[in-house]
Structure formats: structure tokens, C-alpha cells
Amino acid sequence: MVEPTGDPADKSGDTVIALVDDDRNILTTVSIALQSEGFVTRVYSDGETALKALLDNPPDLAVFDIKMPKMDGMELLRKVRAHSELPVIFLTSKDDEADEEAGLELGADDYIAKPFSLRLLTARIRAILRRADAGLPPGSSEAGESQPAATSITRGQLFMDPARHQVTWGGQPVSLTVTEFLILEALAARPGVIKSRNQLMDAAYPDDVFVDDRTVDSHIKRMRRKFRQVDPDFSAIDTLYGAGYSFTDG
């Protein structure tokens, strides 16, 4: 195990990012980069060591490698998800759609393949933390100023409450990641209107963060599966081949 960087007890007000990777060079480089952006980092070189720390003293967000000794990133995420909705980004040398799909299926919030840009990773971390409200109460901003409550959305059997990050279908709860929630919100805000993949990327990934088309497609596939778990006949998200997606509330 690489010793955690920084003392969380001394910086309890700071945002803590946990990094789990068996490559010590990546741990050091990413940790230094995130510290320069004002984050506190805790670093772990294997999944077994990280698991207990993540559950006993949760960070604000974690970045996992997939291929690691003792316990790989997939198994680590599976065990974390049994107890926590901790935001997680996969950072991996594997560039395979099946790995990405498996990671998103387990509940990862994002997926970045090595080699990667530190600016890109930092931007995605900030975006995901903002979507999860970074631990702030509903209706508050990062500066602590009061903000108007977000307007709920009702479309047929769909109900979305952005302030509480809650989604129901026919009264049954559907658990979505923050990325999935923002994609669905963009679609449901204007039923019947086709949203291109670029438009959905803009809705879910602010700050000009680049993602490829298949990432949006993976989120859509995963959302459909989640809704079909509560309603096998769910078909409210339409694919318009070559154009994008739309939401039908009929």
C-alpha cells in the first residue's frame, strides 16, 4: 500500500479523492496533479487494501484501475456498491467496449482509458462532484448560497426530482448514476425532440469534457435495463439511428 497523501483529519473541509492503482507512477502523478487543484488524495496500490478504507472512511470520489492484484477494479466496485453510492471513475489501460459496459453496468459514473489527460480527468472529477452536489444539501451552491429548488419533471409514468436525485417509473424507484440522471433529464425535458449524442454529452459532461459516442450509448443501454427491471415493457427512450435519442411520454 502507498501511504495516503495528506491528513484527512487536518483537512476535513477539503474534497477527498481516493486513487486505487497498482502503478505507483500513475498514483504519484495523478495525486500530485489533483493536489495542485486543491484536492486531498488518498492512494492505494491494490483493491483489498482500498476496500476497507473506502468503507470505513469514505472519500468524496474514487478513481479505480481495473487490472490490479488481489482484487481487480470490477470486484472492488461490486463490493463498494453493496454498501455505498460513492461516485467512481474507472481509469484503465483496457480500451474495450465490453469492459466499459461492464463497468457502467456495475455502477461506475465514468470511464477513462489510458493514456489519459490529467486535465480531462480533473474536469470529469469536478463535473461528477458537482452533479452529486459534493455533499451539499439540496438547493445549495458550492459557495453555500441559497439556490432555487430544481423543478421536478413528470412525463407519463416518469417522475424526476433533481433536488433529491430521485427517479420513479410508475411509482417504482429507479436508481440512476448522476451521469444517467442528467442524460435522462435532457431527454425528458422535451419529449419527442431528438437529442443528438453531442447534445447529450453537453448535458452530462460540462466544461468541454470530451467523451466518445459509445459512452453515451452505454449509458442509454444501462438506463433502459434499469427501467425494464421495474417495467419489462419500458420503451420510452427511442433510438433514431444516425440522429440520436428521444423520450416518448405517451
Side-chain angles (χ1 to χ4, degrees), residues 193-205:
V193 175
I194 299 171
K195 293 282 188 177
S196 69
R197 289 175 178 81
N198 285 337
Q199 289 173 316
L200 295 177
M201 288 177 198
D202 289 342
Y205 293 88

Side-chain angles (χ1 to χ4, degrees), residues 181-193:
F181 189 97
L182 286 177
I183 291 174
L184 181 61
E185 186 179 29
L187 291 170
R190 300 188 64 190
V193 175

Side-chain angles (χ1 to χ4, degrees), residues 197-216:
R197 289 175 178 81
N198 285 337
Q199 289 173 316
L200 295 177
M201 288 177 198
D202 289 342
Y205 293 88
D207 299 326
D208 299 321
V209 174
F210 172 77
V211 294
D212 60 27
D213 288 355
R214 75 181 189 189
T215 299
V216 173

